[in-house]
Amino acid sequence: MSRPQSLVVVSPQAWRVLMSPVRTEIAEALRCGGAMSMSELASATGRPADSLYRHVELLREAGFVVPAGFRKNGRHIEQLVDVAADDFLLELNDAQGEQENLAVVDTVRSFARATERAVRDASRARELRFEQGSRNISINYEIGWLTPEAFQEVRALVRRLKSIMDEGKRKREGRMYMSFVVATPVVRKSRRRSGPRKGATRGKPHAKAATAG
């Protein structure tokens, strides 16, 4: 049975259920691999099956995961689960709401932890490649000024990256990769009220870029 293309989430509380690092990995594994049994989900996430049951149940209660039938495996009958949609979209109406802002913070924290775990595991397995021509990891960190028009260019690039990754989910060719990109306003605590100090140069960011790959 095909999934809906997207599920719009308007509740910050529901979204924060999804944004546990473990539950994020469960949902993404199902998005990539389709309906799975608990043992298959454990293999796909690299976590013990016993540790996943409660997380899957919380996702089901929040509407992110649905039952997907049963499958015979030898003498056993396995229940399958799947994500409720190909994509989850967070739409918040209250830009100043505390819960809304916390939901976004939880999103970044969850994705960052999942990315850190993926890099760490690849490093421990000696799967990272740095040689010219075979490099398989790319890292970039920047602080700079963007006009509204330039920010929209950045958003367009992020959407393009997403479309490439989504195409990879459908084709399942090559090897599995993870990407995580954030573009956010920067607020320095010492300057929230005072603004830029007199005579400050605005042409260069105060932090140098760090790029690998």
Side-chain angles (χ1 to χ4, degrees):
M1 183 173 64
S2 61
R3 308 168 183 153
Q5 184 174 358
S6 62
L7 175 66
V8 175
V9 182
V10 297
S11 166
Q13 292 78 11
W15 184 261
R16 292 178 74 184
V17 171
L18 176 63
M19 285 303 118
S20 152
V22 178
R23 294 192 282 274
T24 296
E25 291 183 33
I26 290 172
E28 195 63 14
L30 292 171
R31 287 181 64 203
C32 290
M36 296 185 187
S37 66
M38 199 60 64
S39 61
E40 289 172 328
L41 195 55
S43 177
T45 59
R47 297 178 182 274
D50 289 347
S51 70
L52 300 180
Y53 283 96
R54 178 56 179 162
H55 292 290
V56 170
E57 181 61 18
L58 288 171
L59 288 169
R60 187 196 64 78
E61 292 174 355
F64 296 108
V65 164
V66 294
F70 297 87
R71 181 174 59 207
K72 189 174 182 180
N73 183 10
R75 307 171 79 178
H76 303 282
I77 301 296
E78 297 179 322
Q79 182 175 9
L80 306 179
V81 295
D82 199 1
V83 283
D86 283 331
D87 210 354
F88 300 123
L89 307 176
L90 177 62
E91 293 190 3
L92 301 176
N93 295 321
D94 183 3
Q96 301 301 319
E98 180 180 4
Q99 291 301 315
E100 286 78 2
N101 278 266
L102 287 175
V104 174
V105 172
D106 283 345
T107 300
V108 173
R109 180 185 298 117
S110 179
F111 292 172
R113 287 179 178 176
T115 305
E116 179 186 4
R117 180 173 183 248
V119 174
R120 183 178 64 245
D121 290 349
S123 174
R124 288 174 177 173
R126 298 296 188 267
E127 287 293 324
L128 299 180
R129 299 289 177 265
F130 310 105
E131 302 86 359
Q132 194 69 26
S134 62
R135 186 183 297 271
N136 64 0
I137 183 168
S138 181
I139 304 170
N140 179 257
Y141 172 78
E142 304 281 351
I143 296 179
W145 283 268
L146 297 175
T147 65
E149 294 77 16
F151 177 75
Q152 291 306 317
E153 289 187 47
V154 172
R155 285 197 67 201
L157 290 171
V158 174
R159 289 194 294 269
R160 172 58 181 152
L161 174 59
K162 175 174 170 49
S163 70
I164 294 172
M165 298 297 288
D166 285 344
E167 183 67 15
K169 289 184 177 72
R170 289 188 289 270
K171 291 184 176 181
R172 300 185 188 182
E173 298 174 351
R175 69 172 300 164
M176 187 176 291
Y177 276 82
M178 177 184 290
S179 67
F180 173 47
V181 182
V182 176
T184 181
V186 176
V187 180
R188 300 303 190 200
K189 292 181 179 180
S190 62
R191 296 187 177 184
R192 281 176 180 170
R193 296 180 181 177
S194 61
R197 71 180 184 274
K198 186 176 180 180
T201 301
R202 299 185 61 86
K204 297 180 180 179
H206 294 289
K208 293 184 178 179
T211 304

